[in-house]
Amino acid sequence: MAWVKAENERTAKVLEKDPHFAGLEAAALKVLESPERLPIPRLNGDDVYNTWKDAAHLRGILRRTTVADYLTAQPHWQTLLDYDALAKQDNQKWVAQGLNCLYPGNDLCLVGLSAGGEDAGTEREFSLKTGKFIENGFVLPRSKQGVAWVDKDTLLVARDWGAGTMTKSGYPFVVKIWKRGQPLDQAKEVYRGAETDELSTDALTLHDGQGHQVTLLQRGVTFFEKTLSLLTPDGVKRIALPGKVDLGDLLDGRLIVTLNEDWAPQKLVQGSVVALDLEAVKKDPLHLKPRVIFAPSATEFAESVSATKTRLLVTTLENVQGRLYSYTPGANGSWTRTKLSVPDNQTVSVITANWSDDRFFLRLTGFLTPSSLLLGDASTGTLKEAKTLPAQFDASGDVVEQLTAVSKDGTKVPYFIVRPKDMKFDGANPTLLTAYGGFQISSTPSYSAYIGKLWLEHGGVYVLANIRGGGEFGPAWHEAGLKTHRQRIYDDFAAVGQDLVTRRITSPRRLGIEGGSNGGLLMGVEMTQHPEMWNAIVIQVPLLDMLGFEHIAAGASWVGEYGSVSIPEQRAFLASISPYNQLKRDVNYPEPLIFTTTKDDRVGPVHARKFAAKMEEFGKPFYYDEIIEGGHSAGANLKEQARTFAEEFTYLTRKLID
């Protein structure tokens, strides 16, 4: 930590003393604390809940109003929980970690609290009716843990129960049933995975608007493969589903599942969304009769599913353009669908769906289009505007395009570019390129006020690449970059960078890249494989030591994505791409900005520290910033986030604009 402090001070003396920094920090804080931000709703019957942060509530408040009042210009919010006041009372830097409520969700909830933004958290029972913690209620001390309500007096809990109950990746694999009033150490075990599992074993209880309920046990064998079992009065019963599935929702007694691999015996292809009759599954979980709801095409793939009382909402990507459908279950397992009209070049997300009727809130967001919330009715297929964010930056001079690069193996890789309308194609435009490229996570357009204020308004070009490893074109797009095939991901990114130069949008002198977490690994690889292509590299909360990642923080949980050093072929490949191991003393690299947090218990700060220390050993220039709080993110509160963003864009301004 003494080394961290010294590096932080060295970096701050340059970046925070730069003439650009103060203005960028003020601009970032203004948009982050803006009272005009959209209050993201959580529907619960006739009520809307929201967690809100502003200048007076750095850690946030949990508040409530009615749906009707929420739709007005100035809702009358009732504060239920003040996280800042709680942090002061407990002398702990709490970060809100969400609510886990008992169906139908109008009273008892477990409030998640994280110390400084860690994944590990504390759970406390809370009443939405009284706005108070329950005296002598359920309390689960700090742990990486998962909890499911069975009824008002019963929880299923997966957590650190002591020696031999956590996987090597640091997640719980033992589920116990815990009764109200019972000491936690007397909870009774009902199920266990294995210490060698990559992810946790969790319980979850699903309900629908018709009163059906099912309690499931989900064992994460790998990051992408799981087993699902029923918890019944007669014990645990395995459901004969493929390993690579995503459990969606419960609708009118139908269990909704998305397939991430072919289900050969059922002649179903990966990417299909299917329904299983719940009662039939309970009677015979080994012989299933799925009914197809959505089948993918060559260009369109499912993104998410959400159930209202009588309809299933499915969002898809068609050539990375968001689409939305409402499905109605019919007789004999049939489904009919209605396509809802949404604009192109925007990300379409169902934020919350109601269990008591067919209302839902949809969020639309695009690079230059301020985010909006629409109140939808899935039964009628209608959408009406509920709230729209006022413009947070001047986008009048910019335009969005979707272009295509060709990767090393001939694969076409789409990317979005946000640029000035009157941009000259002279190779002199400061350009920031980003991507993620992993874990089947899709990168789609979004309205970022701080990128708009701190980059686009200053003439910068912003590029988002849809490289392999993501989910933009379904499970196969992701699988194309798994383990020893991962070089395709890095080639895709480099191809987009080269395409920007070929089109004379920018040049290596004016081209910078940024990415976090798995995207931070991407940045490290691009820095070591193509140091001549970039003049700025922002490496955020990264993985970088790919020969050691399995033993750092939660790294063992990602073997399904990256492979393992225990397998010779995979170890050889990891050694060939590992940024920490590929740093060379005799190579000239761009001067990167490396950012991490001490409280990151997912990837951990070790990767960033080791990489920076090796650069120091080799006499290579770099900037380093490690903040204490924030977990696997840019900061634990709005002020910390504003400072992080200002430091990043000060660095980018110095490297690419000045």
Side-chain angles (χ1 to χ4, degrees), residues 388-461:
T388 298
L389 178 71
Q392 302 290 289
F393 63 92
D394 182 6
S396 61
D398 292 317
V399 65
V400 177
E401 294 178 299
Q402 191 177 25
L403 303 175
T404 302
V406 179
S407 194
K408 188 175 182 178
D409 64 0
T411 299
K412 293 181 178 179
V413 181
Y415 63 92
F416 291 98
I417 178 170
V418 189
R419 63 170 180 83
K421 294 176 183 176
D422 59 356
M423 182 188 77
K424 295 180 180 179
F425 290 83
D426 58 3
N429 301 289
T431 301
L432 178 61
L433 166 62
T434 187
Y436 186 74
F439 295 92
Q440 204 171 319
I441 294 172
S442 301
S443 297
T444 55
S446 64
Y447 189 79
S448 172
Y450 78 86
I451 290 176
K453 289 296 293 183
L454 278 58
W455 188 245
L456 297 178
E457 279 194 358
H458 295 265
V461 175

Side-chain angles (χ1 to χ4, degrees), residues 156-209:
L156 284 168
V157 181
R159 59 175 280 112
D160 186 350
W161 301 102
T165 64
M166 299 290 278
T167 67
K168 292 178 180 178
S169 55
Y171 292 99
F173 67 87
V174 176
V175 180
K176 296 187 179 185
I177 193 164
W178 187 31
K179 297 286 187 179
R180 188 177 298 278
Q182 182 184 44
L184 185 57
D185 61 7
Q186 292 182 19
K188 182 181 178 181
E189 182 177 326
V190 295
Y191 186 76
R192 68 167 50 212
E195 187 179 7
T196 54
D197 291 345
E198 288 186 19
L199 280 186
S200 61
T201 295
D202 293 300
L204 63 158
T205 301
L206 298 178
H207 306 83
D208 64 21

Side-chain angles (χ1 to χ4, degrees), residues 470-541:
E472 292 89 343
F473 293 97
W477 194 247
H478 167 237
E479 291 172 352
L482 278 180
K483 299 182 179 178
T484 56
H485 301 298
R486 202 160 198 84
Q487 185 58 45
R488 294 169 178 165
I489 294 171
Y490 308 131
D491 290 343
D492 287 359
F493 189 86
V496 174
Q498 183 57 54
D499 197 61
L500 293 169
V501 174
T502 300
R503 293 176 188 267
R504 294 189 55 76
I505 291 168
T506 191
S507 62
R509 164 66 181 86
R510 300 292 180 184
L511 179 54
I513 58 177
E514 68 158 359
S517 192
N518 174 73
L521 168 60
L522 172 64
M523 295 303 103
V525 173
E526 297 299 337
M527 173 175 156
T528 52
Q529 290 190 358
H530 302 285
E532 77 289 348
M533 288 186 66
W534 337 102
N535 198 42
I537 303 177
V538 182
I539 306 174
Q540 304 160 327
V541 289

Side-chain angles (χ1 to χ4, degrees), residues 354-654:
N354 216 1
W355 51 266
S356 64
D357 56 33
D358 287 314
R359 289 177 296 182
F360 65 96
F361 278 103
L362 184 77
R363 178 165 59 185
L364 299 176
T365 181
F367 293 115
L368 303 178
T369 307
S371 302
S372 60
L373 291 168
L374 284 67
L375 179 62
D377 186 324
S379 62
T380 62
T382 56
L383 295 167
K384 64 178 182 180
E385 187 174 294
K387 293 186 181 296
T388 298
L389 178 71
Q392 302 290 289
F393 63 92
D394 182 6
S396 61
D398 292 317
V399 65
V400 177
E401 294 178 299
Q402 191 177 25
L403 303 175
T404 302
V406 179
S407 194
K408 188 175 182 178
D409 64 0
T411 299
K412 293 181 178 179
V413 181
Y415 63 92
F416 291 98
I417 178 170
V418 189
R419 63 170 180 83
K421 294 176 183 176
D422 59 356
M423 182 188 77
K424 295 180 180 179
F425 290 83
D426 58 3
N429 301 289
T431 301
L432 178 61
L433 166 62
T434 187
Y436 186 74
F439 295 92
Q440 204 171 319
I441 294 172
S442 301
S443 297
T444 55
S446 64
Y447 189 79
S448 172
Y450 78 86
I451 290 176
K453 289 296 293 183
L454 278 58
W455 188 245
L456 297 178
E457 279 194 358
H458 295 265
V461 175
Y462 184 75
V463 180
L464 176 64
N466 301 119
I467 61 178
R468 281 174 284 188
E472 292 89 343
F473 293 97
W477 194 247
H478 167 237
E479 291 172 352
L482 278 180
K483 299 182 179 178
T484 56
H485 301 298
R486 202 160 198 84
Q487 185 58 45
R488 294 169 178 165
I489 294 171
Y490 308 131
D491 290 343
D492 287 359
F493 189 86
V496 174
Q498 183 57 54
D499 197 61
L500 293 169
V501 174
T502 300
R503 293 176 188 267
R504 294 189 55 76
I505 291 168
T506 191
S507 62
R509 164 66 181 86
R510 300 292 180 184
L511 179 54
I513 58 177
E514 68 158 359
S517 192
N518 174 73
L521 168 60
L522 172 64
M523 295 303 103
V525 173
E526 297 299 337
M527 173 175 156
T528 52
Q529 290 190 358
H530 302 285
E532 77 289 348
M533 288 186 66
W534 337 102
N535 198 42
I537 303 177
V538 182
I539 306 174
Q540 304 160 327
V541 289
L543 289 90
L544 293 166
D545 177 5
M546 297 309 290
L547 290 181
F549 84 95
E550 292 171 77
H551 308 289
I552 301 172
S557 66
W558 308 316
V559 168
E561 177 80 10
Y562 300 122
S564 173
V565 296
S566 64
I567 300 172
E569 179 190 10
Q570 294 177 6
R571 187 193 191 283
F573 175 75
L574 288 167
S576 74
I577 59 100
S578 176
Y580 177 68
N581 302 95
Q582 288 298 319
L583 270 178
K584 300 292 191 294
R585 192 182 298 269
D586 58 351
V587 174
N588 291 323
Y589 298 105
E591 183 178 28
L593 170 60
I594 304 165
F595 169 83
T596 189
T597 82
T598 309
K599 285 278 191 176
D600 184 355
D601 58 346
R602 190 180 310 175
V603 168
V606 175
H607 288 274
R609 293 175 183 173
K610 289 175 66 173
F611 189 77
K614 180 172 274 193
M615 291 198 74
E616 183 179 47
E617 176 190 346
F618 289 174
K620 306 298 183 184
F622 64 92
Y623 294 107
Y624 185 89
D625 183 28
E626 178 176 326
I627 61 174
I628 301 296
E629 311 294 334
H632 195 55
S633 68
N637 59 58
L638 299 179
K639 290 188 183 300
E640 286 184 355
Q641 292 170 22
R643 177 198 162 276
T644 300
F645 297 151
E647 188 173 75
E648 173 187 344
F649 282 94
T650 297
Y651 163 81
L652 291 169
T653 300
R654 289 168 61 95

Side-chain angles (χ1 to χ4, degrees), residues 125-138:
E125 190 177 10
F126 184 82
S127 170
L128 294 177
K129 287 183 177 178
T130 65
K132 295 181 180 179
F133 288 102
I134 303 294
E135 188 174 354
N136 299 318
F138 288 119

Side-chain angles (χ1 to χ4, degrees), residues 258-281:
T258 301
L259 305 178
N260 288 322
E261 64 175 303
D262 292 344
W263 194 353
Q266 301 287 352
K267 298 180 180 178
L268 295 172
V269 299
Q270 63 177 192
S272 299
V273 179
V274 302
L276 301 166
D277 181 85
L278 180 59
E279 289 306 312
V281 173

